[in-house]
């Protein structure tokens, strides 16, 4: 057998594929006589010039119509509804659910010969329950220059309405308007199946040549047009067209669907409830056309929209069952719809897009460059503004960090880097590129100039101080919206954390407490008397005392501190400080001195001895300083001291430290020792603890006692004779 050529095989394959592809059965194009094909097969499709689509049918064959839709076709080709009805059918509109019929006109005429014909009309279609007069398309009409027309119905509920038309002469009658001058109208109700007509006149119009009669009838508004000739036009007419609504049965779609008598039998058909009384109609679904009451080739078939002229698509049309789609060739774009964007050549738009794109590119590039220059300039101006606002004019002799450096060091101020938060700012842990760890204090964003002044003041104070027990200021950033300070990183938290923190109570030995107190006192003594310009801290408290890895104290937070000129003993300002640490005299007078720091230090010392917070939560006394003084004066010191302090401290040592604390807490500032005296006494007590009386010579002991203030075990004896109120002697009981 000879082998087939390759192209012949491909051609055969295409033919097989095409033969096996099912295409939807489409309806032929809808024409004027399309309804002629909608009668049942083998049934008479017309009566005279009127098409008879199913469910209507000629009465002679019972299989050609649905019961209730019989058409009586007379020998002269005139169709009538039913057998005994004299209603002539003019047109059947299947898909609209309407049909046009002729019905009688009521007349009242006055002729010059003296005759006065008067006709009342009555029409009844109650024998055909599927039909109602359309209240949407019909209106009651009365015509005449003195016409009073009535329409009424007595079935079920009484209906009666009418209208009056009037005119004086032909010149007063407007054309194309039925508004009461020569012609009037009235609406009719829904569900109207029979009615009576009556028209009458008040005057004799026999001398009127243009309007001798008055008329009343029901008219289809789309087929009725009133003008001057209407007065004589209806003299020789007995009937006028009116539109009926028809429905299937008296059920709704929901009630009829699924029953054996359901009329919507064609696939792709849908059911619609009537809007004029009970009943339903059938229609084809969108994209289909035909007779929805037939289940054959004349039923609802797919509309081939692509065969329409013109086609709905400008290039390619693809018909599918119930719908269609448009597409463009590969070298074009768009939706392909004739009434949409159509199809546009890609090459045309390509050239246009290229030109527009290049223009936009250059505009964007130039605009971006100019915007970058503008933003850089504005950023520089903003940084300079912040620099001057945040105290840049002071030119402190410390390193100035950029805002970008600190953002990178703190991982953009990540929440996980927060070391602590206060009323004026947040402290973050930062790591510089050289791996050095720093602490960054960032002010809270605020428009309060006082808060900014706190930071400026801290820079000014710390830039003048260099002491091992004062936290070291490494630099600052003044070019951001809020100023930022950079400190050495103190890794062991605050003294308050070690004294009061959960799980840390009692963790510090008495030796460590005395050493920390001595270091704090030494730093405050340096600030008060050894610095180039004396500094009053004004906020001494355990949360402002940091501890490094060796528990070495570092005094911090100098935002409220003030530089004191050498020729001034005290300054007056608004009261600043923390409740529980605040000097009572400063609180009352508003004048702060170095003795204000002494009082606050006394509270810190009491915290170290008792382990209690500065605000004690007891019913009797809430202030720790007051509670401590009360316990000392009443001989109950041991009750308030922390257990470890009592266990590790000799009675003489505890009495001496207690006496020192009491002196610091004196209500009068003049009765308080200076911080230099406090530092010296604490240093002496530490040395005494290391070298007790039994282990040192008399000379050394005498020198120590001179510093402590007594050579007897009771170091409070001198305090009894001091200016403060006398204290009740006490005894440390183990």
């Amino acid at each position: 057998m000879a082998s087939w050529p390759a192209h012949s095989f491909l051609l055969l394959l295409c033919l097989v594929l095409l033969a096996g592809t099912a295409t939807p059965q489409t309806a032929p194009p809808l024409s004027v006589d399309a309804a002629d094909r909608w009668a049942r097969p083998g049934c008479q499709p017309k009566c005279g010039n009127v098409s008879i689509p199913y469910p209507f049918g000629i009465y002679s064959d019972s299989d050609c119509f649905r019961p209730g839709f019989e058409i009586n076709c007379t020998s002269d080709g005139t169709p009538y509804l039913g057998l005994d009805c004299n209603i002539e059918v003019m047109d059947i509109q299947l898909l609209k659910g309407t049909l046009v019929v002729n019905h009688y006109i009521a007349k009242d005429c006055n002729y010059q010969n003296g005759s006065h014909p008067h006709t009342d009309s009555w029409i009844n279609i109650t024998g055909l329950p599927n039909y109602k007069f359309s209240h949407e398309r019909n209106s009651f009409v009365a015509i005449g220059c003195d016409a009073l027309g009535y329409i009424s119905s007595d079935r079920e509920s009484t209906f009666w309405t009418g209208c009056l038309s009037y005119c004086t002469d032909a010149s007063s009658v407007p054309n194309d308007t039925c508004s009461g001058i020569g012609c009037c109208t009235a609406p009719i109700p829904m569900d109207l199946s029979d009615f009576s007509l009556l028209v009458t006149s008040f005057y004799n119009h026999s001398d009127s040549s243009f309007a001798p009669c008055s008329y009343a009838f029901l008219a289809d508004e789309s087929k009725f047009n009133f003008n001057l000739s209407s007065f004589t036009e209806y003299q020789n007419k007995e009937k006028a067209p009116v539109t009926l609504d028809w429905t299937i049965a008296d059920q709704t779609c929901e009630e009829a669907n699924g029953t054996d008598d359901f009329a919507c039998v064609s696939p792709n058909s849908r059911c619609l409830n009537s809007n004029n009384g009970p009943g339903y109609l059938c229609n084809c679904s969108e994209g289909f056309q035909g007779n929805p009451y037939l289940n054959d080739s004349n039923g609802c078939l797919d509309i081939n929209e692509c065969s329409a002229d013109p086609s709905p698509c400008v290039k390619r049309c693809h018909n599918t069952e119930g719908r269609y789609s448009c597409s463009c060739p590969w070298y074009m774009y768009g939706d392909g719809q004739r009434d949409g964007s159509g199809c546009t050549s890609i090459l045309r738009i390509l050239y246009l897009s290229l030109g527009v794109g290049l223009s936009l590119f250059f505009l964007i590039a130039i605009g971006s460059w100019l915007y970058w220059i503008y933003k850089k300039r504005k950023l520089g101006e903003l940084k300079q503004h912040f620099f001057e606002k945040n105290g840049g004019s002071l030119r402190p002799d410390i390193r100035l960090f950029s805002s970008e450096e600190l953002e990178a060091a703190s991982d953009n101020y990540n929440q996980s880097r927060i070391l602590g938060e206060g009323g004026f700012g947040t402290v973050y842990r930062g790591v510089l590129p050289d791996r050095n760890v720093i602490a960054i204090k960032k002010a809270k964003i605020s428009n309060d100039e006082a808060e900014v002044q706190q930071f400026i003041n801290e820079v000014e104070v710390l830039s003048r101080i260099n002491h091992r027990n004062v936290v070291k200021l490494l630099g600052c950033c003044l070019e951001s919206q809020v100023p930022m300070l950079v400190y050495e990183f103190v890794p062991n938290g605050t003294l308050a954390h070690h004294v009061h923190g959960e799980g840390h109570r009692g963790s510090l030995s008495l030796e460590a407490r005395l050493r920390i107190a001595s270091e704090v006192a030494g730093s405050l003594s340096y600030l008060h008397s050894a610095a180039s310009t004396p500094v009053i801290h004004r906020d001494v408290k355990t949360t402002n005392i940091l501890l490094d890895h060796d528990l070495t104290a570092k005094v911090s937070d100098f935002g409220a501190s003030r530089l004191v000129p050498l020729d001034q003993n005290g300054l007056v300002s608004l009261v600043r400080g923390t409740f529980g640490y605040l000097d009572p005299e400063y609180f009352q007078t508003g004048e702060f001195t170095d003795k204000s720091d002494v009082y606050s230090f006394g509270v810190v010392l009491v915290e170290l001895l008792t382990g209690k917070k500065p605000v004690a939560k007891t019913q009797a006394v809430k202030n720790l300083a007051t509670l401590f003084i009360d316990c000392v004066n009443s001989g109950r010191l041991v009750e308030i001291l922390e257990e470890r302090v009592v266990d590790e401290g000799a009675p003489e040592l505890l009495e001496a430290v207690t006496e020192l604390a009491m002196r610091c807490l004196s209500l009068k500032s003049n009765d308080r020792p200076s911080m230099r005296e406090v530092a010296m006494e604490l240093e002496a007590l530490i040395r005494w603890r290391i070298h007790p009386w039994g282990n040192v010579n008399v000379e050394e002991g005498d020198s120590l006692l001179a510093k402590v203030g007594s050579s007897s075990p009771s170091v409070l004896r001198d305090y009894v004779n001091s200016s403060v109120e006398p204290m009740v002697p006490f005894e440390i009981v183990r």
Side-chain angles (χ1 to χ4, degrees):
M1 180 183 292
S3 60
W4 281 26
H7 67 273
S8 300
F9 177 77
L10 293 175
L11 178 62
L12 178 62
L13 179 61
C14 292
L15 291 174
V16 171
L17 291 174
L18 290 173
T21 303
T23 57
Q25 185 177 4
T26 59
L30 188 63
S31 65
V32 176
D33 298 327
D36 294 349
R37 299 187 299 273
W38 290 353
R40 265 194 169 177
C43 296
Q44 182 178 336
K46 278 191 172 185
C47 178
N49 294 324
V50 179
S51 297
I52 311 296
Y54 187 81
F56 295 91
I58 305 302
Y59 178 75
S60 58
D61 190 345
S62 61
D63 292 334
C64 292
F65 59 89
R66 185 181 178 92
F69 293 88
E70 302 92 335
I71 298 295
N72 183 10
C73 187
T74 62
S75 58
D76 61 354
T78 303
Y80 290 91
L81 285 180
L83 298 179
D84 301 325
C85 187
N86 59 352
I87 301 177
E88 180 185 356
V89 178
M90 306 294 293
D91 184 27
I92 300 176
Q93 299 169 331
L94 181 72
L95 301 182
K96 293 181 180 180
T98 61
L99 53 85
V100 180
V101 299
N102 273 337
H103 84 101
Y104 291 100
I105 301 173
K107 302 179 183 180
D108 183 21
C109 297
N110 293 276
Y111 296 112
Q112 292 181 353
N113 60 10
S115 62
H116 181 67
H118 181 82
T119 304
D120 294 341
S121 292
W122 177 77
I123 186 168
N124 185 3
I125 56 172
T126 54
L128 302 173
N130 296 329
Y131 304 94
K132 304 291 175 61
F133 290 95
S134 175
H135 67 287
E136 292 181 341
R137 297 183 57 172
N138 301 318
S139 292
F140 171 71
V141 177
I143 299 175
C145 272
D146 179 25
L148 179 60
Y150 300 95
I151 180 172
S152 63
S153 175
D154 292 328
R155 288 195 71 248
E156 295 183 2
S157 60
T158 301
F159 158 67
W160 184 287
T161 189
C163 65
L164 172 66
S165 68
Y166 180 80
C167 59
T168 55
D169 51 47
S171 62
S172 65
V173 178
N175 284 329
D176 304 322
T177 302
C178 186
S179 58
I181 303 176
C183 176
C184 66
T185 62
I188 63 171
M190 293 176 53
D191 204 19
L192 181 66
S193 59
D194 69 273
F195 60 86
S196 297
L197 296 176
L198 174 66
V199 63
T200 185
S201 300
F202 292 106
Y203 305 104
N204 189 328
H205 297 278
S206 59
D207 57 346
S208 174
S209 59
F210 76 97
C213 296
S214 295
Y215 313 96
F217 55 93
L218 209 61
D220 187 323
E221 294 177 352
S222 64
K223 304 180 185 305
F224 172 71
N225 183 33
F226 172 75
N227 50 50
L228 191 60
S229 62
S230 298
F231 289 113
T232 56
E233 177 184 349
Y234 291 99
Q235 288 188 52
N236 300 320
K237 286 186 177 182
E238 297 296 326
K239 297 179 181 180
V242 67
T243 300
L244 298 180
D245 290 330
W246 57 269
T247 59
I248 304 294
D250 59 354
Q251 297 174 300
T252 64
C253 291
E254 293 75 18
E255 294 170 343
N257 192 9
T259 62
D260 295 338
D261 197 37
F262 188 52
C264 306
V265 296
S266 176
N268 303 312
S269 64
R270 57 194 175 106
C271 182
L272 303 171
N273 287 318
S274 172
N275 59 358
N276 190 6
Y280 68 91
L281 295 169
C282 302
N283 212 327
C284 292
S285 301
E286 186 177 359
F288 296 86
Q289 73 177 24
N291 189 336
Y293 302 96
L294 294 177
N295 189 14
D296 55 23
S297 59
N298 288 326
C300 294
L301 303 179
D302 173 59
I303 300 174
N304 186 358
E305 293 88 354
C306 296
S307 63
D309 187 20
S311 172
C313 305
V314 296
K315 287 293 182 181
R316 296 174 177 173
C317 184
H318 312 278
N319 184 62
T320 57
E321 188 173 11
R323 63 192 67 225
Y324 70 96
S325 62
C326 301
S327 64
C328 297
W330 67 269
Y331 56 87
M332 306 185 83
Y333 77 96
D335 61 11
Q337 298 277 356
R338 187 172 298 278
D339 56 354
S341 62
C343 294
T344 305
S345 173
I346 294 178
L347 294 177
R348 177 183 176 188
I349 198 65
L350 183 62
Y351 293 134
L352 181 61
S353 299
L354 184 61
V356 173
L358 289 175
S359 301
L360 287 176
F361 173 77
F362 284 112
L363 287 175
I364 293 173
I366 294 173
S368 299
W369 179 68
L370 292 175
Y371 182 72
W372 178 79
I373 293 177
Y374 169 77
K375 290 294 289 182
K376 188 174 182 180
R377 180 179 177 183
K378 294 297 290 183
L379 182 61
E381 292 176 353
L382 187 61
K383 286 184 176 182
Q384 183 62 29
H385 167 72
F386 289 143
F387 182 81
E388 295 174 358
K389 174 186 175 184
N390 296 332
S393 58
L394 298 175
R395 303 299 296 173
D397 189 18
I398 56 176
R399 177 179 174 182
L400 294 178
F401 288 85
S402 67
S403 56
E404 291 79 7
E405 283 182 280
L406 298 186
E407 285 179 5
S410 62
D411 191 17
N412 202 24
Y413 303 104
N414 195 303
Q415 294 290 317
S416 62
R417 297 288 190 96
I418 293 179
L419 297 175
E421 293 185 83
F424 296 108
T426 305
V427 180
Y428 296 86
R429 179 179 178 273
V431 181
L432 295 176
D434 59 5
R435 312 304 298 173
N436 284 332
V437 182
I438 57 174
I440 305 169
K441 185 176 182 181
K442 181 181 180 184
K444 293 183 178 179
I445 297 177
S446 173
N447 294 323
D448 189 356
E449 293 293 334
E451 295 184 14
V452 176
Q453 190 61 38
Q454 289 271 340
F455 274 70
I456 297 174
N457 184 71
E458 192 159 0
V459 172
E460 185 178 5
V461 170
L462 289 178
S463 63
R464 300 169 182 261
I465 297 174
N466 184 16
H467 191 276
R468 65 184 297 272
N469 296 118
V470 175
V471 67
K472 187 176 182 180
L473 181 66
L474 302 178
C476 62
C477 176
L478 304 177
E479 65 181 21
S480 57
Q481 182 177 359
V482 291
M484 290 176 282
L485 305 182
V486 181
Y487 300 94
E488 63 173 319
F489 178 67
V490 183
N492 226 342
T494 67
L495 178 59
H497 174 71
H498 287 268
V499 175
H500 307 298
E502 190 70 28
H504 288 81
R505 290 181 58 85
S507 63
L508 293 176
S509 65
L510 178 60
E511 180 182 353
R513 297 176 195 233
L514 293 176
R515 179 181 52 78
I516 292 170
S518 177
E519 290 171 347
V520 173
S523 64
L524 293 176
S525 174
Y526 167 81
L527 294 175
H528 291 177
S529 56
S532 58
T533 302
V535 177
I536 300 176
H537 191 283
R538 291 214 296 171
D539 198 17
V540 177
K541 56 185 177 182
T542 53
T543 54
N544 285 342
I545 299 171
L546 306 178
L547 301 178
D548 66 7
H549 58 280
D550 293 326
L551 297 182
T552 300
K554 302 277 187 177
V555 179
S556 68
D557 201 345
F558 287 80
S561 302
R562 290 294 297 270
L563 297 171
V564 182
L566 294 174
D567 58 346
Q568 293 188 23
N569 295 325
L571 297 175
V572 178
S573 76
L574 294 175
V575 176
R576 301 295 296 273
T578 304
F579 182 71
Y581 297 93
L582 199 59
D583 174 12
E585 190 174 75
Y586 169 39
F587 181 78
Q588 292 177 359
T589 64
E591 181 179 355
F592 63 91
T593 65
D594 56 352
K595 296 299 183 69
S596 301
D597 283 351
V598 174
Y599 183 90
S600 300
F601 175 80
V603 179
V604 172
L605 187 56
V606 172
E607 282 187 75
L608 289 169
L609 291 174
T610 64
K612 298 183 182 298
K613 294 184 178 181
V615 179
K617 296 182 179 179
T618 63
Q619 293 182 352
V621 182
K622 293 186 178 180
N623 186 283
L624 177 60
T626 304
L627 180 63
F628 181 78
I629 293 172
D630 181 64
C631 288
V632 172
N633 289 338
S634 60
R636 296 181 291 109
L637 176 62
V638 71
E639 296 179 10
I640 196 171
L641 294 180
E642 192 168 287
E643 184 178 353
R644 182 170 182 176
V645 172
V646 176
D647 291 341
E648 296 181 1
E652 296 86 354
L653 177 64
L654 296 181
E655 290 179 10
V657 177
T658 300
E659 179 194 23
L660 180 59
M662 292 287 287
R663 289 160 56 203
C664 291
L665 295 177
S666 296
L667 296 179
K668 296 180 180 180
S669 60
N670 291 334
D671 294 336
R672 300 170 198 159
S674 67
M675 284 310 307
R676 185 172 181 274
E677 293 172 332
V678 174
M680 290 176 61
E681 292 192 24
L682 285 172
E683 179 66 26
L685 290 173
I686 292 173
R687 290 171 59 194
W688 182 84
R689 175 175 172 78
I690 297 174
H691 304 288
W693 298 114
N695 296 333
V696 297
N697 55 39
V698 176
E699 290 78 7
E700 183 179 7
D702 290 341
S703 63
L704 287 175
L705 287 174
K707 292 178 181 179
V708 173
S710 176
S711 59
S712 69
S714 178
V715 298
L716 294 176
R717 185 176 53 199
D718 292 340
Y719 188 80
V720 173
N721 299 320
S722 65
S723 58
V724 299
E725 57 181 293
M727 295 171 19
V728 177
F730 60 89
E731 181 181 1
I732 302 294
V733 181
R734 296 288 179 179

